[in-house]
């Protein structure tokens, strides 16, 4: 962790992530207005002291909606990546450890899924399951499984032949115990880095699904849906599209830069 602390860019990105997460977590307390409260007498007002980010086409406070939308986006992204991590790592670990026909089936399945562009796959799954918060998380999670599965398979292949695995086998440990107690803990660093790098992309995918109407549905605010509702007025009223776009951009930059720094800090090849 010392190398990570010396990486100023990564630490700045971590600070940005902490600020975004705190604002989203405390959105119900910080938000100055009810995100769903309409005020038709103050529609499409530009930023002011009373409305920091202005109001939308229904008179709702954009700042409050972005705060609550951030909580929705982050929770859906965490659920999607948690699902992809559990399923992908389980498939990759068992395929590499047992080998044989199971390895062949899992590898080909992951190759087939990876042949489809990730966002296109998420759109297809979301269209099949239907829109909604849970289905959006499932769509993004399913499209992210191959990345975790292939990463875990490669890690387990390198760990499986080490002496402590042979020792555990000689002591009579079951396959399940070896995988859970010995193999997966030695692959955690790569998994953590992969999670941090995937979170930014998952937020972008969730916002993209909401933008085209296949993600989180109104009246629940989400950055992508807020951005979608503002594109109609982009030429004459920029705040509705600009501020949610900036929120998506800053969140992605934060997770990507922190993930890069975390990868550099945990990569044994880069240690002096």
């Amino acid at each position: 962790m010392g190398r990570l602390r010396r990486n100023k860019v990564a630490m700045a990105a971590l600070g940005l992530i902490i600020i975004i997460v705190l604002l989203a977590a405390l959105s119900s307390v910080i938000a100055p207005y009810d995100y769903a409260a309409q005020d038709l007498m103050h529609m499409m007002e530009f930023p002011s002291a009373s409305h920091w980010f202005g109001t939308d086409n229904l008179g709702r406070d954009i700042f409050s909606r972005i705060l609550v939308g951030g909580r929705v986006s982050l929770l859906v992204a965490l659920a999607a990546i948690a699902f992809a991590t559990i399923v992908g790592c389980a498939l990759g670990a068992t395929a590499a450890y047992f080998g044989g026909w199971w390895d062949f089936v899992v590898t080909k399945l992951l190759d087939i899924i990876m042949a489809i562009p990730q966002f296109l796959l998420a759109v297809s799954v979301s269209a099949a399951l239907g829109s909604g918060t849970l289905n959006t998380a499932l769509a993004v999670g399913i499209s992210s499984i191959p990345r975790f599965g292939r990463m875990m398979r490669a890690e387990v292949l390198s760990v499986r032949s080490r002496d402590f695995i042979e020792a555990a086998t000689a002591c009579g440990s079951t396959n399940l115990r070896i995988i859970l107690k010995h193999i997966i803990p030695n692959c955690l660093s790569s998994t953590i880095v992969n999670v941090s790098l995937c979170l930014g992309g998952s937020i972008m995918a969730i916002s993209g699904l909401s933008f085209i109407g296949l993600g989180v549905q109104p009246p629940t605010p989400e950055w992508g849906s807020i951005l979608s509702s503002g594109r109609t007025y982009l030429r004459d009223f920029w705040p509705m599209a600009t501020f949610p776009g900036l929120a998506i951009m800053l969140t992605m930059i934060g997770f990507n830069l922190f993930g890069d720094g975390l990868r550099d800090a945990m990569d044994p090849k880069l240690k002096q």
Side-chain angles (χ1 to χ4, degrees):
M1 291 296 103
R3 298 181 72 249
L4 179 62
R5 287 194 294 267
R6 291 193 295 270
N7 190 329
K8 295 182 180 180
V9 175
M11 296 310 296
L14 178 60
L16 177 61
I17 292 172
I18 292 174
I19 292 173
I20 292 173
V21 171
L22 286 177
L23 288 175
L26 300 175
S27 58
S28 59
V29 178
I30 299 175
Y33 299 94
D34 181 359
Y35 73 88
Q38 300 181 12
D39 186 358
L40 301 183
M41 297 299 294
H42 298 88
M43 296 187 302
M44 298 176 67
E45 290 187 350
F46 284 92
S48 63
S50 56
H51 298 281
W52 291 358
F53 290 176
T55 59
D56 64 6
N57 57 322
L58 296 176
R60 297 171 297 190
D61 183 63
I62 296 177
F63 179 67
S64 301
R65 290 181 61 78
I66 288 178
L67 288 178
V68 178
R71 181 176 62 189
V72 174
S73 297
L74 290 173
L75 287 176
V76 175
L78 286 173
I81 295 303
F83 173 77
T85 302
I86 294 171
V87 176
C89 289
L91 289 174
T94 55
Y97 183 79
F98 293 109
W101 67 270
W102 177 244
D103 184 26
F104 177 82
V105 170
V106 171
T107 302
K108 296 305 177 184
L109 177 62
L110 296 179
D111 288 342
I112 292 172
I113 297 176
M114 287 195 70
I116 307 173
Q118 185 173 357
F119 185 70
L120 179 59
L121 178 60
V123 169
S124 302
V125 174
S126 184
L129 296 177
S131 58
T133 303
L134 178 59
N135 290 342
T136 301
L138 283 175
V140 176
I142 291 172
S143 65
S144 302
I145 287 175
R147 180 167 182 172
F148 288 92
R150 292 179 67 89
M151 178 275 301
M152 181 58 70
R153 180 178 179 274
E155 290 290 325
V156 173
L157 285 174
S158 65
V159 172
R160 186 181 60 178
S161 59
R162 295 184 182 177
D163 293 339
F164 64 88
I165 300 297
E166 296 180 2
T169 304
C171 290
S173 297
T174 62
N175 290 328
L176 181 61
R177 179 177 177 82
I178 292 174
I179 292 174
L180 294 179
K181 297 293 185 180
H182 300 287
I183 291 181
I184 290 182
N186 283 278
C187 303
L188 279 181
S189 60
S190 299
T191 304
I192 293 172
V193 171
N194 213 19
V195 167
S196 62
L197 289 172
C198 285
L199 277 172
S202 66
I203 290 175
M204 184 65 177
I206 292 164
S207 298
L209 290 175
S210 298
F211 184 83
I212 62 178
L214 292 174
V216 181
Q217 296 298 300
T220 303
E222 197 278 329
W223 288 339
S225 61
I226 299 173
L227 181 61
S228 178
S229 63
R231 61 179 171 173
T232 306
Y233 311 97
L234 185 59
R235 178 173 296 182
D236 301 318
F237 187 69
W238 54 266
M240 279 184 66
T242 301
F243 289 116
L246 286 174
I248 296 171
M249 181 188 71
L250 290 175
T251 305
M252 286 192 63
I253 289 175
F255 279 114
N256 288 338
L257 291 179
F258 178 69
D260 288 339
L262 193 61
R263 178 187 58 196
D264 294 341
M266 292 186 170
D267 191 348
K269 298 178 182 179
L270 298 177
K271 294 181 179 180
Q272 301 296 330

